């Protein structure tokens, strides 16, 4: 597994953590201490704020998991990938997006720039 794919796998572990303790540990494993997460709905820094954004998404979409779509592409200290938020009950995927992450030398995330490609109808 490439360093890029390993970093993205840790990112998905955080997003799919099922309880607050697991989430906190997964965020700490995936992000540097001062790491950031920015998308159209959030702009946060640090493990606690990142975990809060993930927890809020779980509350808005209970029973959903973030799943990688396609391959992870990387160069230098940057990786990009696409994802869907998939229902564990029926396989529907109302939300999809693409993220670009920057990584430290040891593969932890310093920044996520997220883009939402598909949203549920209002």
């Amino acid at each position: 597994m490439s360093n890029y794919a390993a970093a993205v796998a840790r990112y998905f572990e955080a997003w799919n953590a099922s309880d607050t303790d697991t989430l906190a540990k997964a965020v700490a494993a995936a992000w540097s201490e001062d790491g950031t997460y920015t998308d159209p709905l959030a702009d946060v820094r640090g493990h606690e704020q990142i975990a809060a954004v993930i927890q809020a998404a779980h509350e808005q979409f209970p029973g959903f998991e973030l799943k990688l779509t396609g391959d992870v592409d990387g160069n230098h200290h940057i990786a990009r990938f696409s994802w869907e938020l998939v229902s564990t009950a029926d396989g529907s995927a109302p939300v999809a997006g693409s993220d670009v992450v920057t990584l430290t030398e040891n593969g932890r995330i310093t920044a996520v720039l997220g883009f939402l490609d598909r949203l549920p109808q209002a």
Side-chain angles (χ1 to χ4, degrees):
M1 178 181 295
S2 74
N3 288 341
Y4 306 114
V8 171
R10 287 189 300 275
Y11 175 84
F12 280 88
E13 287 174 16
W15 275 95
N16 291 323
S18 58
D19 62 72
T20 55
D21 288 339
T22 304
L23 173 58
K25 290 175 185 174
V27 167
W31 271 269
S32 61
E33 288 186 21
D34 63 343
T36 63
Y37 178 86
T38 304
D39 71 14
L41 306 173
D43 187 10
V44 298
R45 175 180 299 277
H47 293 170
E48 286 184 19
Q49 291 182 3
I50 293 166
V53 166
I54 294 170
Q55 186 61 42
H58 283 266
E59 291 168 6
Q60 185 175 1
F61 294 96
F64 282 77
E65 293 182 341
L66 203 67
K67 297 201 178 205
L68 183 67
T69 58
D71 296 324
V72 176
D73 186 26
N75 67 68
H76 301 280
H77 63 282
I78 300 167
R80 68 177 177 169
F81 55 94
S82 296
W83 52 266
E84 289 183 324
L85 192 61
V86 178
S87 169
T88 58
D90 66 12
S92 64
V95 182
S98 299
D99 291 353
V100 175
V101 299
T102 58
L103 305 172
T104 64
E105 288 182 18
N106 67 359
R108 289 175 74 202
I109 298 169
T110 59
V112 175
L113 301 173
F115 298 86
L116 298 173
D117 302 328
R118 179 174 65 239
L119 293 171
Q121 296 295 326

